[in-house]
Amino acid sequence: MLVHETQVRVYYEDTDKMGVVYYGVYPRYYEIGRTEMIRSLGVSYKDIEDTGILLPARSLNVNYLKSAYYDDLLTIRTIVEAIPKVKFPIKTEIYNQQNELINEGEVVLAFFDGKTNKPCRIPEQFRTAMEPYFKS
């Protein structure tokens, strides 16, 4: 299993009048977490896109458990439970500074050939970068 953590500060622009993180911001936090997870493998979204493969979102599920507030330092834990084939499910957990789970969700991406506009298999370079995390 691949687990990666990154931190993000809640900025004023992320909040409503009460200083609470607006519900629509959480998917952006998920994106930050998975972008940094991919980067930690020595690959970037740009590297994948440069091969002609795109990663559109297929579904998004978000569970709001507690509020986050302006200036909180959040920990985004990104979890991949298996090497993807065509669909790429990614779980995300977000923790506040007290290490309380405040949000959890899952995004399912799909590997998509930009030329044919059809689903395709995971790029070899990306699969190879993930393999060490899934060897028993």
Side-chain angles (χ1 to χ4, degrees), residues 7-12 14-15 19-21 26 29 66-75 94-98 100 102:
Q7 292 187 310
V8 65
R9 177 78 58 189
V10 174
Y11 295 111
Y12 186 77
D14 296 337
T15 64
V20 175
V21 172
Y26 288 92
Y29 292 162
K66 286 186 157 194
S67 296
Y69 299 91
Y70 171 65
D71 206 38
D72 282 354
L73 183 61
L74 305 178
T75 299
I94 300 178
Y95 294 85
N96 64 16
Q97 291 171 200
Q98 292 73 42
E100 299 170 309
I102 63 167

Side-chain angles (χ1 to χ4, degrees), residues 72-92:
D72 282 354
L73 183 61
L74 305 178
T75 299
I76 303 167
R77 182 174 296 152
T78 305
I79 304 158
V80 178
E81 295 179 336
I83 295 176
K85 294 184 176 153
V86 176
K87 285 193 243 174
F88 187 10
I90 305 165
K91 293 183 178 180
T92 303

Side-chain angles (χ1 to χ4, degrees), residues 4 6 8 21-38 45 57 59-66 74-80 88-95 101-109:
H4 181 268
T6 192
V8 65
V21 172
Y22 175 68
Y23 77 94
V25 171
Y26 288 92
R28 182 167 55 85
Y29 292 162
Y30 292 8
E31 177 76 23
I32 291 168
R34 75 177 165 265
T35 298
E36 294 306 319
M37 181 267 304
I38 291 170
Y45 261 118
S59 65
L60 169 67
N61 181 14
V62 182
N63 295 309
Y64 304 93
L65 306 171
K66 286 186 157 194
L74 305 178
T75 299
I76 303 167
R77 182 174 296 152
T78 305
I79 304 158
V80 178
F88 187 10
I90 305 165
K91 293 183 178 180
T92 303
E93 299 171 348
I94 300 178
Y95 294 85
L101 179 63
I102 63 167
N103 184 283
E104 61 185 358
E106 182 179 53
V107 174
V108 178
L109 305 176

